[in-house]
Amino acid sequence: MAIHRAAVVRRGAVVLTALALGASLSACSRVPGVYTYVPAGQEKSAGAGRAAAFDATAYVDGIWAGKVLPTVTKDAVPASELLPALEADQAAASKEYGNQTGTGSPFAFLVKGTGTVTAIDKDAPTHPLTVRVDGVSGKGADVQVVTGPVIAGTALRDAVRFITFGDFTNQLNYADAGTALNSKVKTEVLGKLEPASLVGKKVTFAGAFSLVAPGVVLVVPTQLQAAS
């Protein structure tokens, strides 16, 4: 009989422990693969927040004309100034003209200029135009301007400076904002452009690039057109 009562007591303790654990976990919500802490009493409001997914396209639509384009126009450095500075001292020029979103991240730059299109690389997925920049000589005189269909990276997001990780709920939304900006470039800047028709012509360009490899300037354009 004594043994039986002990077993009952142990089972009761297990049940009470389980109930206590369940109560403590009621203040946490679980997303597959991710645990998110939710303070007790805020479970409903947290659930409502998760239901409203981040709309990266709407976010970019809201800042494109009013913030992105004016920022590029205002802050872009003339290529005739930036390219020689990078060639002479990349580290110093990066700190002066570029923006770094985090330790170890590449510097991103806003740039503008005019030049003559000397080639288009149709074998590369970005279909870049090679532009010989006016006012620059030597091996650092060329930039490449992306014309799609592929636009990779987050150069435009990072170079405008006013878009920061702290503006977003998580890393995925921050990344989606960069992707949506690239998509906006495709539709608003490159959608009606015939890149091959620009070969041999003088163009005006503006946009952003990340200095991933020394000497490689691959511009994501917010402006690209034949110079008048």
Side-chain angles (χ1 to χ4, degrees), residues 64-86:
W64 180 257
K67 296 193 72 175
V68 174
L69 296 183
T71 296
V72 177
T73 299
K74 174 177 173 290
D75 295 340
V77 181
S80 57
E81 175 184 346
L82 179 57
L83 297 182
L86 288 170

Side-chain angles (χ1 to χ4, degrees), residues 113-189:
T114 59
T116 302
V117 178
T118 60
I120 180 171
D121 186 354
K122 293 185 177 181
D123 293 328
T126 57
H127 284 189
L129 298 173
T130 298
V131 180
R132 177 59 56 90
V133 176
D134 292 345
V136 183
S137 59
K139 62 180 182 180
D142 291 342
V143 301
Q144 293 186 312
V145 181
V146 173
T147 65
V150 173
I151 301 178
T154 57
L156 186 54
R157 182 200 69 184
D158 299 341
V160 294
R161 297 176 185 263
F162 66 82
I163 303 174
T164 65
F165 175 70
D167 298 333
F168 301 88
T169 303
N170 54 54
Q171 182 69 37
L172 292 177
N173 292 353
Y174 186 46
D176 287 346
T179 301
L181 279 167
N182 291 346
S183 296
K184 192 72 169 177
V185 169
K186 292 180 187 179
T187 57
E188 297 296 319
V189 183

